[in-house]
Amino acid sequence: MRRSLTAALAVTTLVTPLVLVATAGSASAAPTAPRTPLVDFNHDGYADLAISAVGGYEGTTPGTVTVVYGSAAGPDTAHAKTFGRATPGVPGDPQDGGRFGQETAAADLDGDQYTDLVVTGYDGKAVVLWGSASGLSGEGSTAMPWRGGHVTAGDFNGDGKRDLVTVDFEGEADPGEDIHGMSVSYGPFTRDGKAASKQQVPTAREFGPEAFVVGDLTGDGADDIVSTHGFEEKAYSSQFWKGGEDGVATTSQRLAPSLGGAVADVDKDGYGDLVVRDIGDNYEDMPYQKGTVLVRYGSADGPSATRTAKITQDTAGVPGVGEDGDEFGSSISAGDVNGDGYADIAVGIPGEDIESVADAGSAVLLKGSRSGLTGTGAQAFQQSTAGVPGASEKNDEFGGRVLLSDTDKDGRADLTATAPLEDGTYADSGAAWHLRGSASGLTVTGITSFGPKALGLPENRVEFGGGLTR
């Protein structure tokens, strides 16, 4: 049966870099450390959360995205807002199985200092919800000139304006071949969704790109793109596309196959490092893999081919033991949890067995250091951890999505981890947990958890937490 990496993407996370760090290097040739603006829809300085509930593939829900605004106390669930095709002002009509919120991207597209939210689904054209002093609203939202598909935000020409990369390729393919590509839309955008300019980049791969990881690996102040490719059971080489003053390069560097990941400076040398899930050459094996996180350290020439590291649950210092089906690295996010200037990496392990409870799920924090990313000082959390609300149950898949972001504005990233298959009143309602960052790492002190019921939303098989916006 024909199949692409799209199905695999339902259980992984696409991310952009999430860390602000100081520049390192010599005064004469100092690289520009990777930077990504805060996801802040109301511009109050607190990171906001946008959590998707798209449901399963049975077609029982249209899909929604819920915004939980940050505050001094962390996520402010009392003032959360939910958006879908039925929200007044949002273009399109709700459809069961529409999966509104399947993919999202956060960026200040129009340059007004408020983060905007791009939402895609199977149910029509992508939509932009515009930020404002009161946050997001359906009123005035805009249908983009492309349908659904994968979307990620970055600054690919280094001009300080936020851009989008999508798979709505309009360029010419090689004659006689089924070749696709990506579209790079450069900001600023007008409120009718029009980009300042647009670039078509053929990727010379069949049935892709299926995912993007974005960030500045070369230290030149422009974000680069790593695209993922595959068809049926085959995972093809990922490709590194350099960003720069003139836009995205049209030739690429081939990398090992990967899926999902982040770009962040884990060794504080000023270059963004590529942290991805190493999937081998057959992505249909992923649900049965122990899981491996691959680090390719950044340089002026891009991701290094020689300075690399692999981390698994069998790496010294990493809690747990690697077992078939754990999927260590299924979700990856970056941020500075302890405020030491090194980016840390949150890793989802949705297939982790907790004692005899199959696929209960877990999340691990790997800490950055001068030596790079290692297992030293790693922390693990699951619903059986003391202080974490709930209980580890079969097929919860805690850690299905992970996100590091500073929701309480204390200078340290906090962890949001979701379990999309957590059972509430109904099966597979989903839930999210929020752990605060501290000088020693993540802490359960002040931990909160919430699901759709607490937010006044439908519960039955909505899989709340199936997506977390970067």
Side-chain angles (χ1 to χ4, degrees):
M1 180 177 70
R2 172 174 162 174
R3 181 180 178 186
S4 72
L5 280 175
T6 301
L9 288 170
V11 292
T12 193
T13 301
L14 311 180
V15 301
T16 56
L18 295 167
V19 63
L20 304 180
V21 297
T23 299
S26 67
S28 60
T32 301
R35 302 177 66 87
T36 294
L38 200 66
V39 175
D40 187 2
F41 302 118
N42 55 6
H43 194 55
D44 63 357
Y46 298 95
D48 303 321
L49 303 174
I51 306 174
S52 297
V54 298
Y57 287 92
E58 296 85 0
T60 58
T61 174
T64 60
V65 178
T66 297
V67 175
V68 182
Y69 295 98
S71 73
D76 180 11
T77 56
H79 298 94
K81 295 182 179 180
T82 298
F83 302 91
R85 294 286 185 185
T87 301
V90 175
D93 298 314
Q95 302 174 21
D96 286 345
R99 299 185 69 83
F100 185 82
Q102 170 74 19
E103 290 199 27
T104 55
D108 178 11
L109 297 178
D110 56 356
D112 65 355
Q113 306 303 307
Y114 298 100
T115 304
D116 310 306
L117 183 65
V118 183
V119 185
T120 76
Y122 294 169
D123 53 357
K125 291 184 177 181
V127 170
V128 179
L129 306 174
W130 301 100
S132 71
S134 58
L136 295 182
S137 171
E139 297 296 342
S141 56
T142 304
M144 298 297 278
W146 40 273
R147 291 183 63 86
H150 312 299
V151 57
T152 305
D155 179 9
F156 306 117
N157 57 6
D159 66 353
K161 311 294 193 303
R162 302 300 286 169
D163 314 316
L164 296 175
V165 57
T166 64
V167 294
D168 61 314
F169 182 63
E170 300 172 359
E172 294 184 3
D174 292 342
E177 296 187 29
D178 192 359
I179 301 299
H180 293 255
M182 56 188 177
S183 293
V184 182
S185 299
Y186 294 97
F189 291 73
T190 61
R191 282 295 180 106
D192 61 1
K194 185 177 180 180
S197 63
K198 199 167 184 178
Q199 178 187 8
Q200 302 295 321
V201 182
T203 54
R205 280 298 193 192
E206 293 180 282
F207 305 104
E210 294 287 358
F212 302 110
V213 179
V214 167
D216 184 6
L217 290 154
T218 63
D220 65 354
D223 286 335
D224 311 304
I225 299 171
V226 174
S227 58
T228 293
H229 305 268
F231 177 63
E232 293 183 343
E233 79 285 352
K234 180 67 174 177
Y236 298 125
S237 299
S238 294
Q239 298 183 77
F240 165 74
W241 307 87
K242 188 180 183 305
E245 183 178 354
D246 297 325
V248 176
T250 55
T251 58
S252 69
Q253 173 188 343
R254 297 294 173 88
L255 307 175
S258 63
L259 192 61
V263 174
D265 190 1
V266 299
D267 58 357
K268 204 164 62 171
D269 66 352
Y271 294 103
D273 307 308
L274 180 65
V275 184
V276 296
R277 180 181 178 183
D278 184 354
I279 61 173
D281 62 2
N282 188 323
Y283 79 84
E284 288 188 342
D285 289 341
M286 287 194 303
Y288 313 105
Q289 293 175 346
K290 297 179 181 180
T292 299
V293 170
L294 170 66
V295 185
R296 297 177 66 109
Y297 290 94
S299 72
D301 298 319
S304 175
T306 57
R307 188 172 176 236
T308 65
K310 288 187 177 183
I311 300 177
T312 70
Q313 283 190 282
D314 298 319
T315 299
V318 178
V321 176
E323 299 173 315
D324 290 344
D326 280 351
E327 294 198 80
F328 180 84
S330 178
S331 180
I332 293 172
S333 182
D336 184 0
V337 169
N338 53 14
D340 64 357
Y342 296 94
D344 307 308
I345 301 295
V347 180
I349 323 171
E352 176 86 339
D353 295 346
I354 306 301
E355 296 183 350
S356 61
V357 182
D359 299 337
S362 179
V364 162
L365 181 72
L366 304 173
K367 295 179 180 179
S369 70
R370 180 176 297 181
S371 302
L373 198 66
T374 70
T376 302
Q379 299 175 276
F381 298 89
Q382 59 272 147
Q383 289 187 75
S384 294
T385 301
V388 176
S392 295
E393 298 173 316
K394 184 178 180 180
N395 297 329
D396 277 352
E397 296 190 2
F398 182 94
R401 297 289 187 274
V402 293
L403 172 67
L404 292 176
S405 62
D406 187 7
T407 60
D408 55 5
K409 201 168 61 172
D410 66 352
R412 299 185 177 98
D414 312 306
L415 173 67
T416 302
T418 69
L421 301 185
E422 171 85 355
D423 293 343
T425 305
Y426 299 92
D428 301 344
S429 58
W433 288 256
H434 186 264
L435 291 79
R436 293 196 178 198
S438 73
S440 59
L442 293 170
T443 176
V444 297
T445 301
I447 188 173
T448 58
S449 66
F450 53 91
K453 182 177 182 179
L455 302 176
L457 304 175
E459 292 185 81
N460 193 13
R461 299 189 183 278
V462 298
E463 298 186 16
F464 180 83
L468 283 172
T469 297
R470 270 59 182 173

